[in-house]
Amino acid sequence: MTRRPVAITMVFVAAVVFGYFSYGRLPVTLMPEISYPTITVRTEYPGAAPEEVENDVSRPVEEALGVVGGLRRVSSISRAGVSDVVLEFSWDTPMSQAIQDSLEKLDLILLPEQAERPLILRFDPSLDPVMELSLSGSGDRFSGAEGLRRLRRIAELQIKRALEPVKGVAAVRVRGGLEEEIHVLLDEQALRRSGLSIRAVIERLAQENINLAGGTLTEGRTEYMVRTLNEYENLEQIADTVVARIDGRDVRVSSLGRVVRAHKEREILTRTNSNESVQVDIFKEADANIVALAKRVKSALGEFDFEAARRRQAGEKEPADEPAGGRGRPGPAGLVEQAFVNEGAELRLVADRSLFIESSIREVRNTAILGGLLAVLVLFLFLQDLRTTSIIAVSIPISLLVTFAPLNLLGISLNIMSLGGLALGIGMLVDSSIVVLESIFRCREEGDDVEHAAVRGTGEVRGAVVASTLTTIAVFFPMVFVEGVAGQAFGDLGLAVVVSLIASLAVALFLIPMLASRRGLSWTEEAEARRLPSWRRFASWQALVGDWRRFRAGNAAAGPAKRWLRRAAYPAVALYLTLRFVVGSLLELVGKLLLGLFAGALWLGRRLLMPAAGRVLGAVAHWPLRWTQAGLARLGAGYPASLGWALGRPASVLLAVAGCLALTVWGLIRLDTELLPEVHQGEFTVEVALPVGTPLEETVEVVSPVEQAILAERQWIRSLLLTVGYDAAYSNRSDEGEHTARFKVLLEKADPRTEAEVIARLRQRFAAIPDLGARVTRPVLFSFRTPIEIEVHGDDLVELR
């Protein structure tokens, strides 16, 4: 260690470099990946009631998937038109293998013809979306029902298709607006006159609106693919469809009714800050990183200035500092710009979960850095030696940077748990270094020189330092092997502490002794004169002279034939040596100049900056050092007396200890217990419900005044997203319907006090509405079972209710 300082330095520099690059590659998340090992099999059965969905879809799927290996529990949710079968596996089940086995079993199931193909969701449908976009428009193009249909088409055909291929995106859900449909409005009197039924018209339209493959046709050396293209392209083709031939006359759809462009029956309405819009929700894959996903989605959206674009459309002149194009930076047009320029629609990012995660991680990281600085300050006040404190201060960032490389290899992310483990380890990182330095200092006082003191001092405490570190590791390392939610939550913390302690042990046993054995830098005029550049001291010149002499000596010892060949090679050898000398001398000169600049900077820092810094530090730390010395002196003077009092009164000491223990147990019993604390992310949702059966229009009429009142006094509220009704294809709860609404409130900052005040204000408004129930929920970041679940089993639904 002390005899090879360059080797030790290079090893730790390499470890620090690897740790620095690993730090940039670590994914950033709020919490470790916490999720039950579950998969959801979703099957759509349009037009079917819940009982038919259960009997025809849910039960066959449950029976087929009940034999998958590692399965612990099968449950299903059957709603109108949708079946969700949830498979829960044991914690040690490989989910990739479970998904593959489930796919094989699903291929063997025979479902009704009207049922869609079962899908295995790669995300938990009960989780909230990680990002939410709002698509709205103004003007004549987006007014009325046609405008809402236009927004829905833009969201589904452009926005959704562009975001689904983004890496990490599991699903893109479009809500709100009006879904376009073609309605054939039949005349009852015309059907009676023709003797046709509605079923006959439906079957005939289904037969006509289809493309069929007709095989292949070979003609000579050319092969053609035969297809029948017969899908409808416009309303006129539907109206001209022949339904039947009666008495030699074709009966067309236009003779039986009208064909109009309309929309599906509306079950959901979405608004953003009281403006009706279409919501685009983005869900992440189970193992995707939210922060990295958000960056990729934002890159796809691009940056765009709507105000500057409107000024350009109105013919107004842009300000001088406004970038061309209205975007923050040049580059390809993003989805936001494309939607505004091509369609006139405004696409805005209204909710982004990654912002809260980044701010939370940033606060924890800054707290850890501040804790390290305070630890160095406390050490300086107690040690009162700048050189010793500097050595220990260097060990803290080196130990942390070295820690990041193993964390990256182990697949650990930067989250509250892992950063909390690093912050917890910072206080223990300096323990081993302080013990080693104190032992070295004691050896110096006993008369050893610097190098021998470093070797002997480290050797005497090496066993104790290793044993102390291993005892701490023995406490945290078993967390890695805990299964279940607790293991997923606290495994990162345990690994972070263990790896950081091992890194600090390596720093204390190898780097600290090497730094403590250095005598410092010496710079004298003689050394400066010896280091001045000289052609005779250039390695390239010495190599040139040595090679030329060896070549001539070999020529003299060679025979006549070889001597003649060597003489003939004189020009080539001379040219090669000359070119090598020129290139080598130039490179060596550059190196010596850089070394001279570095040495000059060191000399300048030592002669000018260090004295000034020392005077400033001495002036600033004078009084804190004196107060610390006085406090330590008083403690040292009073400790023998207090120790003697304690030894003389053992009963009083034991009684005091017992009282403290009883007080601790009493406080521990009164503490509430939960796995993870509630996280305030600056957003919450108020779920309101009117009596079951309330139509969508009446629900909108009831909640609209509340929405306007909230926006009228929107103190601390950044955005308000209102969803009235439900989406049958994506709903996961049986109590949702047209009688329910969701107020999603996005606050300006994530402050628990502000959130509590806003919630209290909203509760008062909802309490004033009769027959309305309201409850507040917060975003769900990971799959989690409820603390208490009551299941009532039976076959009679009426009796179960």
Side-chain angles (χ1 to χ4, degrees):
M1 298 177 293
T2 59
R3 297 181 180 180
R4 294 175 176 82
V6 177
I8 296 295
T9 303
M10 289 299 101
V11 168
F12 278 95
V13 166
V16 167
V17 170
F18 283 124
Y20 176 77
F21 284 105
S22 299
Y23 172 75
R25 299 181 60 183
L26 289 175
V28 180
T29 59
L30 180 63
M31 296 290 295
E33 188 61 38
I34 303 177
S35 61
Y36 277 86
T38 62
I39 60 175
T40 302
V41 180
R42 171 164 292 178
T43 308
E44 295 188 12
Y45 191 5
E51 291 187 10
E52 281 71 27
V53 172
E54 180 185 6
N55 295 326
D56 299 341
V57 177
S58 297
R59 290 186 183 275
V61 173
E62 289 180 358
E63 293 173 0
L65 298 180
V67 296
V68 176
L71 189 63
R72 292 180 53 191
R73 187 172 183 266
V74 181
S75 60
S76 64
I77 302 175
S78 300
R79 302 185 304 274
V82 180
S83 166
D84 282 344
V85 178
V86 182
L87 308 178
E88 300 181 13
F89 296 88
S90 57
W91 290 100
D92 57 348
T93 303
M95 294 307 298
S96 58
Q97 184 64 35
I99 293 175
Q100 183 63 35
D101 294 343
S102 301
L103 288 173
E104 294 177 358
K105 301 300 181 184
L106 289 175
D107 292 338
L108 305 177
I109 302 176
L110 296 178
L111 298 177
E113 294 183 0
Q114 296 80 7
E116 302 291 340
R117 184 177 180 181
L119 298 176
I120 292 183
L121 302 183
R122 300 182 62 188
F123 67 100
D124 192 338
S126 64
L127 297 183
D128 292 332
V130 297
M131 302 180 74
E132 297 183 39
L133 310 177
S134 174
L135 182 66
S136 60
S138 58
D140 297 336
R141 286 193 295 179
F142 299 100
S143 61
E146 179 59 33
L148 293 177
R149 287 197 295 266
R150 183 183 182 89
L151 283 176
R152 182 80 182 202
R153 286 197 304 269
I154 295 174
E156 289 184 340
L157 301 180
Q158 298 183 26
I159 308 302
K160 181 179 179 180
R161 292 183 179 180
L163 293 178
E164 281 180 336
V166 175
K167 182 181 179 181
V169 174
V172 178
R173 184 177 67 183
V174 179
R175 296 184 295 120
L178 297 176
E179 297 185 61
E180 188 174 15
E181 271 189 349
I182 305 300
H183 287 182
V184 180
L185 306 178
L186 299 177
D187 186 1
E188 183 180 359
Q189 298 298 329
L191 289 175
R192 288 181 178 179
R193 287 194 301 267
S194 62
L196 298 174
S197 63
I198 297 178
R199 172 57 58 185
V201 178
I202 294 175
E203 292 177 354
R204 186 58 184 160
L205 290 174
Q207 293 171 0
E208 287 292 330
N209 187 34
I210 190 173
N211 288 346
L212 293 176
T216 58
L217 178 63
T218 304
E219 183 179 355
R221 302 172 62 182
T222 306
E223 185 175 85
Y224 298 94
M225 179 176 291
V226 180
R227 297 176 61 205
T228 301
L229 302 179
N230 203 40
E231 287 187 348
Y232 293 127
E233 297 180 357
N234 50 56
L235 302 184
E236 289 75 15
Q237 293 180 356
I238 301 176
D240 292 338
T241 302
V242 177
V243 178
R245 178 179 293 270
I246 301 176
D247 298 333
R249 184 174 60 88
D250 293 336
V251 180
R252 303 181 183 273
V253 173
S254 57
S255 303
L256 301 176
R258 296 182 297 114
V259 181
V260 297
R261 191 183 301 274
H263 55 81
K264 290 183 179 180
E265 184 180 355
R266 195 168 197 182
E267 296 179 337
I268 185 172
L269 178 144
T270 57
R271 289 178 182 170
T272 303
N273 294 332
S274 76
N275 298 321
E276 192 160 354
S277 61
V278 173
Q279 301 292 329
V280 181
D281 300 336
I282 300 175
F283 295 85
K284 77 177 188 72
E285 295 180 354
D287 55 349
N289 178 251
I290 295 181
V291 176
L293 170 62
K295 290 181 180 179
R296 288 190 288 266
V297 172
K298 291 177 183 177
S299 177
L301 295 176
E303 297 181 2
F304 187 71
D305 190 345
F306 291 102
E307 298 300 329
R310 291 193 184 95
R311 288 196 299 267
R312 290 197 306 273
Q313 290 180 352
E316 301 179 7
K317 186 177 180 181
E318 296 184 7
D321 57 347
E322 184 72 26
R327 285 181 282 127
R329 60 177 184 271
L335 291 176
V336 177
E337 182 176 356
Q338 293 177 11
F340 186 83
V341 175
N342 300 334
E343 305 291 345
E346 298 182 9
L347 180 64
R348 299 179 183 272
L349 178 63
V350 293
D352 183 4
R353 198 74 40 77
S354 67
L355 298 179
F356 173 75
I357 295 175
E358 287 184 313
S359 63
S360 301
I361 297 301
R362 190 182 307 113
E363 290 181 3
V364 176
R365 183 177 58 220
N366 294 338
T367 303
I369 295 175
L370 181 60
L373 295 177
L374 291 177
V376 173
L377 178 60
V378 171
L379 286 173
F380 176 71
L381 293 177
F382 277 88
L383 298 178
Q384 300 180 7
D385 183 74
L386 183 60
R387 185 171 183 270
T388 304
T389 306
S390 301
I391 294 175
I392 297 178
V394 168
S395 68
I396 294 178
I398 290 178
S399 300
L400 289 178
L401 286 174
V402 171
T403 303
F404 291 128
L407 292 182
N408 185 30
L409 295 177
L410 294 172
I412 305 300
S413 61
L414 283 181
N415 52 68
I416 292 180
M417 289 297 178
S418 60
L419 285 177
L422 294 178
L424 179 64
I426 285 179
M428 297 181 286
L429 291 178
V430 297
D431 293 347
S432 302
S433 301
I434 292 175
V435 172
V436 172
L437 276 176
E438 183 66 22
S439 178
I440 294 174
F441 181 75
R442 178 182 54 80
C443 293
R444 288 289 307 278
E445 289 181 338
E446 294 177 357
D448 294 345
D449 59 6
V450 176
E451 186 172 347
H452 287 86
V455 174
R456 189 166 71 90
T458 305
E460 290 180 353
V461 299
R462 180 173 55 234
V465 169
V466 172
S468 174
T469 305
L470 291 180
T471 54
T472 309
I473 291 175
V475 174
F476 288 95
F477 191 62
M479 292 184 180
V480 181
F481 303 99
V482 178
E483 291 186 354
V485 177
Q488 292 183 348
F490 300 103
D492 289 2
L493 184 145
L495 282 176
V497 173
V498 170
V499 175
S500 62
L501 288 179
I502 294 176
S504 67
L505 179 63
V507 170
L509 295 182
F510 296 99
L511 183 63
I512 296 299
M514 186 274 293
L515 295 177
S517 64
R518 298 301 94 195
R519 296 179 174 83
L521 297 174
S522 60
W523 189 269
T524 60
E525 295 181 357
E526 294 79 8
E528 183 177 359
R530 287 196 302 267
R531 296 187 181 185
L532 289 177
S534 174
W535 288 112
R536 293 184 178 182
R537 289 187 171 87
F538 269 53
S540 56
W541 172 262
Q542 296 176 2
L544 173 65
V545 174
D547 290 344
W548 182 254
R549 288 177 178 176
R550 283 191 294 273
F551 179 76
R552 294 190 61 182
N555 187 22
K562 290 185 179 181
R563 191 180 306 155
W564 182 84
L565 292 175
R566 283 177 170 271
R567 288 178 180 177
Y570 270 7
V573 174
L575 179 61
Y576 165 74
L577 294 178
T578 302
L579 291 176
R580 193 184 69 175
F581 168 71
V582 172
V583 175
S585 60
L586 289 176
L587 295 177
E588 193 169 359
L589 180 61
V590 172
K592 288 182 177 292
L593 289 176
L594 293 177
L595 182 60
L597 292 175
F598 179 71
L602 288 179
W603 179 86
L604 181 65
R606 183 179 180 183
R607 292 295 178 88
L608 299 180
L609 299 181
M610 289 298 292
R615 288 192 294 269
V616 173
L617 182 61
V620 172
H622 176 69
W623 289 108
L625 288 176
R626 290 194 60 181
W627 293 336
T628 305
Q629 290 177 354
L632 292 176
R634 292 181 181 179
L635 289 176
Y639 178 70
S642 60
L643 181 61
W645 180 90
L647 294 177
R649 297 171 177 81
S652 301
V653 174
L654 293 177
L655 184 62
V657 172
C660 293
L661 180 60
L663 184 63
T664 302
V665 173
W666 177 80
L668 182 62
I669 295 175
R670 295 178 61 87
L671 287 177
D672 295 332
T673 304
E674 59 180 347
L675 179 63
L676 295 173
E678 191 174 42
V679 180
H680 300 273
Q681 305 184 44
E683 63 177 273
F684 60 90
T685 301
V686 181
E687 298 179 354
V688 301
L690 292 171
V692 178
T694 305
L696 182 68
E697 293 75 12
E698 186 174 343
T699 305
V700 174
E701 185 178 351
V702 172
V703 300
S704 292
V706 181
E707 178 191 20
Q708 299 298 328
I710 294 174
L711 293 175
E713 51 178 20
R714 53 185 302 175
Q715 184 181 10
W716 300 310
I717 297 178
R718 176 168 53 88
S719 298
L720 176 64
L721 307 180
L722 173 61
T723 303
V724 184
Y726 77 116
D727 192 342
Y730 294 97
S731 177
N732 297 287
R733 293 168 46 186
S734 58
D735 57 348
E736 286 186 330
E738 296 184 8
H739 64 288
T740 60
R742 295 164 59 92
F743 290 82
K744 186 167 187 176
V745 181
L746 306 175
L747 304 178
E748 296 177 351
K749 59 180 180 178
D751 184 17
R753 295 183 179 178
T754 301
E755 183 177 317
E757 293 182 10
V758 175
I759 291 176
R761 193 171 68 207
L762 296 184
R763 287 186 188 276
Q764 294 178 357
R765 292 204 170 273
F766 289 116
I769 302 177
D771 298 331
L772 185 143
R775 69 187 186 101
V776 179
T777 62
R778 290 180 174 82
V780 180
L781 292 175
F782 46 85
S783 301
F784 202 71
R785 299 293 298 273
T786 54
I788 299 176
E789 292 184 355
I790 299 177
E791 295 184 356
V792 182
H793 298 270
D795 296 329
D796 190 348
L797 293 179
V798 177
E799 183 179 355
L800 288 176
R801 292 192 186 100

